């Protein structure tokens, strides 16, 4: 488990350069514009619907599948999964049909100050994007099934390569299709990923595609287990809609500014959350079913430590190099200086916010693994309500900075609440958190004194990329030295694994 956690963490990090390049490319091609805003609104509402309807089922699927497989056998678990997939596809098809027939209902929820022409354009965008819901759900369940069989690397590598394909399509078609090239690249990459997942399931001889008779009772079993989570998910999606409405009132391009401002932190957070969802839940659920306290605690603290270190490294880097990073990716686009300053400010605040989100997610996952769905649902609901009310009542005082601030505060408070119900040694969790934060503070202080001295020695005409490379290498060196001197168990283990994979003795 120790090796699996570290390697997954590193493999998933490989996706970051592709995603960052993709969004810098979007910024260069489309900039901050009404068309980009409409694409984001349409795509966001489909993801909102997807999460509101199926998010809770996706969250509990791995733990439920592993529990059923351990208690009743593989065939029963697969039979239930077949029925689940059938009814998910059926209900999703009905949702997509409704959205395509009445996109105006959705668009009027999202915006209130569009002209008739702009509203019609948004309606068309929603209709075109709607089928993404079907494909996205199929890929999520497929990946979850592979993860339940301890197959992590293949789906992640497949996602990596489909992102490359998406970028290539975007480059080739943007000139001819404009903003619709984003839709084309998204659809094709998702379809390729889905086909790859189906082929992999068949290669592993997982009996998912054999003939079966769908049983609503099997679907209901998963649905009822996930039922408590629907409340926080629903409130969370309301939060997304409220946020979009608040942002859209700030003027044309505001949605794009927020999107670019939080894209880097969101991608790093997605990496860590993906690790948690794919690795942590099945392992913890299996350990809890077997009543193996030692295995449960070891795996939780190990991934908790890796997450804190990984996110902490990113936050420290953004603290010193955010300006150079933003200018490197977005500097050549048509984004104005004023918009760039807002993006830079938001980027730093969202970087700190993902720490709170990480703590919320990992304790939430531990609650799901031990069957405390209602507690997780309550914590999630209160978190989202806090974020919504803060954004509505404080946006005039704080401006758009309230969005990352409310996320940070709400999720930290919620994580502390769930921590109180952690089933085993809380002292070990606190110790893990404290020693990793202590290490990161030392790295931060050293970077504060050393980085300016190093950068001042560089020629005045040094490129942004060179400055970023120097900052990255310097921080990595300090990070490794401090981690080694403090002799942190998880850090040393991860370092040993990396050295072995690189062939270093």
């Amino acid at each position: 488990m120790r090796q699996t956690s570290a390697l997954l963490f590193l493999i998933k990090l490989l996706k970051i350069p592709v995603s960052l390049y993709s969004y810098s490319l979007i910024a260069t091609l489309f900039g901050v514009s009404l068309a980009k805003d409409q694409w984001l609104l349409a795509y966001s509402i489909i993801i909102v619907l997807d999460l509101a309807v199926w998010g809770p089922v996706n969250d509990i699927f791995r733990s439920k599948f592993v529990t059923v497989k351990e208690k009743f056998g593989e065939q029963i678990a697969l039979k239930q999964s077949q029925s689940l997939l059938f009814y998910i596809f059926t209900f999703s098809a009905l949702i997509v049909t409704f959205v395509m027939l009445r996109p105006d209902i959705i668009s009027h929820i999202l915006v209130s100050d569009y002209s008739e022409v702009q509203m019609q354009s948004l309606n068309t965008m929603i209709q075109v994007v709607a089928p993404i819901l079907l494909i996205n759900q199929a890929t999520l369940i497929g990946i979850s099934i592979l993860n339940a069989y301890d197959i992590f690397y293949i789906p992640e590598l497949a996602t990596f390569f489909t992102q490359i394909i998406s970028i290539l399509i975007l480059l080739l078609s943007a000139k001819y299709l404009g903003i619709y090239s984003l839709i084309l690249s998204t659809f094709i990459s998702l379809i390729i990923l889905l086909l790859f997942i189906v082929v992999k399931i068949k290669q592993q001889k997982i009996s998912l595609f054999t003939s079966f008779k769908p049983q609503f009772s099997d679907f209901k079993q998963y649905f009822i287990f996930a039922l408590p989570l629907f409340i926080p998910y629903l409130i969370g999606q309301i939060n997304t809609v409220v946020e979009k409405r608040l942002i859209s009132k700030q003027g044309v391009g505001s949605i794009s500014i927020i999107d670019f401002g939080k894209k880097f932190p969101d991608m790093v957070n997605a990496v860590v959350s993906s690790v948690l969802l794919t690795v942590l839940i099945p392992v913890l659920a299996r350990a809890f079913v077997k009543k193996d306290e030692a295995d449960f605690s070891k795996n939780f603290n190990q991934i908790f430590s890796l997450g804190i270190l990984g996110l902490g490294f990113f936050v420290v880097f953004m603290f010193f190099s955010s300006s150079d990073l933003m200018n490197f990716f977005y500097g050549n686009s048509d984004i104005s200086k004023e918009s760039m300053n807002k993006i830079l400010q938001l980027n730093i605040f969202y970087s700190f916010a993902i720490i709170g989100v990480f703590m919320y997610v990992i304790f939430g996952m531990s609650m799901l693994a031990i069957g405390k769905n209602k507690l997780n649902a309550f914590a999630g609901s209160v978190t989202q309500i806090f974020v919504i009310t803060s954004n509505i009542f404080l946006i005039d005082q704080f401006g758009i900075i309230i969005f990352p601030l409310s996320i940070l505060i709400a999720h930290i408070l919620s994580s502390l609440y769930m921590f109180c119900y952690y089933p085993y040694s809380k002292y070990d969790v606190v110790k893990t958190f404290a020693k990793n934060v202590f290490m990161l503070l030392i790295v931060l202080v050293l970077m504060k004194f050393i980085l300016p001295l190093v950068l001042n020695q560089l020629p005045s005409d040094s490129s942004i990329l060179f400055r970023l490379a120097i900052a990255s290498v310097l921080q990595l060196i300090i990070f490794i030295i401090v981690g080694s001197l403090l002799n942190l168990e998880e850090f040393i283990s991860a370092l040993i694994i990396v050295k072995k994979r690189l062939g270093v003795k």
Side-chain angles (χ1 to χ4, degrees):
M1 176 58 202
R2 187 181 298 277
Q3 292 185 351
T4 301
S5 302
L7 287 174
L8 275 171
F9 191 82
L10 294 171
I11 284 177
K12 290 169 184 292
L13 284 176
L14 292 175
K15 298 196 302 187
I16 293 179
V18 178
S19 299
L20 295 184
Y21 179 76
S22 175
Y23 273 90
S24 67
L25 178 63
I26 292 171
T28 302
L29 294 173
F30 308 112
V32 174
S33 63
L34 179 62
K36 174 77 183 345
D37 280 2
Q38 290 178 340
W39 150 257
L40 288 171
L41 284 170
Y43 185 79
S44 295
I45 196 59
I46 296 305
I47 299 302
V48 162
L49 284 172
D50 193 359
L51 290 175
V53 178
W54 302 123
V57 177
N58 292 334
D59 275 0
I60 61 91
F61 177 82
R62 292 176 180 86
S63 60
K64 185 66 175 176
F65 183 91
V66 169
T67 301
V68 173
K69 185 168 173 283
E70 291 289 330
K71 288 185 175 181
F72 305 107
E74 180 181 11
Q75 292 304 315
I76 298 296
L78 286 173
K79 174 179 169 293
Q80 292 182 354
S81 299
Q82 288 174 321
S83 297
L84 180 67
L85 279 170
F86 174 82
Y87 284 104
I88 282 178
F89 184 85
T90 301
F91 291 131
S92 295
L94 293 175
I95 294 170
V96 170
T97 301
F98 173 78
V99 171
M100 295 185 74
L101 290 175
R102 295 300 308 271
D104 55 301
I105 294 177
I106 306 246
S107 59
H108 280 94
I109 294 175
L110 289 173
V111 293
S112 59
D113 55 352
Y114 269 20
S115 67
E116 184 177 347
V117 174
Q118 291 172 338
M119 192 65 76
Q120 183 58 46
S121 177
L122 178 58
N123 290 341
T124 302
M125 187 74 77
I126 291 173
Q127 288 175 316
V128 174
V129 172
I132 286 178
L133 188 150
L134 281 171
I135 309 172
N136 189 55
Q137 259 312 302
T139 58
L140 288 175
I141 296 295
I143 290 174
S144 294
I145 290 172
L146 289 174
N147 295 159
Y149 281 85
D150 294 329
I151 301 170
F152 302 106
Y153 306 105
I154 300 300
E156 292 306 323
L157 290 174
T159 304
F160 173 75
F161 286 113
T162 54
Q163 286 190 24
I164 294 177
I165 293 171
S166 177
I167 289 173
L168 292 175
I169 295 170
L170 192 60
L171 282 169
L172 294 173
S173 62
K175 180 179 179 181
Y176 307 100
L177 299 178
I179 198 68
Y180 286 95
S181 60
L182 284 168
I183 299 172
L184 179 66
S185 63
T186 301
F187 268 106
I188 293 179
S189 60
L190 276 174
I191 291 171
I192 293 173
L193 178 60
L194 177 59
L195 291 174
F196 188 91
I197 291 169
V198 170
V199 170
K200 191 61 185 176
I201 290 174
K202 288 185 175 181
Q203 285 179 348
Q204 295 296 316
K205 297 181 180 179
I206 301 172
S207 304
L208 187 66
F209 302 111
T210 56
S211 59
F212 71 100
K213 182 179 180 181
Q215 298 289 332
F216 188 77
S217 58
D218 291 335
F219 166 78
K220 186 171 68 173
Q221 184 175 350
Y222 275 88
F223 190 83
I224 291 176
F225 189 72
L227 199 58
L229 298 182
F230 276 90
I231 298 175
Y233 261 94
L234 176 61
I235 300 175
Q237 306 324 306
I238 293 173
N239 178 27
T240 301
V241 173
V242 170
E243 179 182 292
K244 290 291 184 291
R245 284 185 67 91
L246 290 173
I247 297 170
S248 64
K249 291 181 179 180
Q250 305 299 311
V252 173
S254 296
I255 296 175
S256 296
I257 288 172
I258 290 283
D259 182 64
F260 286 131
K262 67 179 180 179
K263 189 54 60 182
F264 285 76
D266 274 359
M267 282 187 284
V268 173
N269 182 48
V271 169
V272 177
S273 296
S274 183
V275 170
L276 294 174
L277 291 172
T278 55
V279 179
L280 189 61
I281 288 185
V283 172
L284 294 188
R286 192 177 295 117
F288 193 74
V289 169
K290 295 179 178 179
K291 299 182 179 180
D292 191 340
E293 177 181 345
D295 189 52
F296 188 103
S297 298
K298 182 189 72 173
N299 288 314
F300 179 87
N301 287 308
Q302 191 173 64
I303 294 183
F304 187 40
S305 180
L306 284 172
I308 292 292
L309 289 175
L311 288 178
F313 186 93
F314 171 75
V315 171
V316 172
F317 177 78
M318 296 305 291
F319 188 80
F320 295 105
S321 302
S322 181
S323 179
D324 283 340
L325 192 65
M326 293 297 100
N327 282 305
F328 175 73
F329 280 99
Y330 303 143
N332 293 326
S333 67
D334 61 355
I335 299 176
S336 67
K337 184 177 180 180
E338 181 183 1
S339 296
M340 184 64 79
N341 289 335
K342 291 181 180 178
I343 291 172
L344 175 61
Q345 189 180 32
L346 285 168
N347 191 263
I348 295 174
F349 276 96
Y350 274 113
S351 296
F352 282 97
I354 62 174
I355 298 293
V357 174
F358 166 74
M359 293 177 63
Y360 167 83
V361 170
I362 193 167
F363 285 111
M365 295 304 100
S366 68
M367 293 301 102
L368 290 179
I370 64 176
K372 289 187 176 294
N373 297 18
K374 293 180 180 179
L375 188 145
N376 179 273
F378 175 75
S381 300
V382 173
T383 300
Q384 296 300 332
I385 291 172
F386 182 94
V387 171
I388 291 172
T389 53
S390 298
N391 291 344
I392 291 175
F393 293 108
L394 298 178
I395 188 170
D396 292 336
Q397 288 77 18
F398 290 88
I400 55 178
I401 298 302
I402 189 58
F403 296 117
L405 280 179
S406 62
I407 289 172
L408 173 63
I409 297 171
H411 285 81
I412 286 180
L413 292 176
S414 184
S415 66
L416 290 174
Y417 169 73
M418 288 186 287
F419 168 70
C420 295
Y421 293 89
Y422 181 77
Y424 301 122
S425 174
K426 295 180 177 61
Y427 172 76
D428 289 341
V429 177
V430 173
K431 184 174 69 173
T432 298
F433 178 78
K435 65 184 182 181
N436 284 294
V437 169
F438 178 66
M439 171 185 164
L440 292 170
L441 287 174
I442 294 176
V443 173
L444 179 68
V445 172
L446 291 176
M447 283 288 290
K448 176 69 175 177
F449 287 101
I450 299 175
L451 183 60
L453 296 177
V454 174
L455 293 181
N456 287 337
Q457 302 304 314
L458 299 178
S460 57
D461 58 347
S462 296
S463 67
I464 294 177
L465 183 60
F466 185 63
R467 289 170 58 88
L468 286 170
I470 293 295
S472 301
V473 172
L474 177 63
Q475 182 175 329
L476 183 60
I477 292 172
I478 295 174
F479 199 74
I480 293 174
I481 292 174
V482 173
S484 300
L485 291 175
L486 293 178
N487 198 31
L488 297 184
E489 180 184 353
E490 293 82 7
F491 179 82
I492 298 298
S493 299
L495 188 61
I496 291 172
I497 293 170
V498 173
K499 287 171 66 177
K500 285 182 178 179
R501 293 294 169 177
L502 294 177
V504 179
K505 296 183 179 180

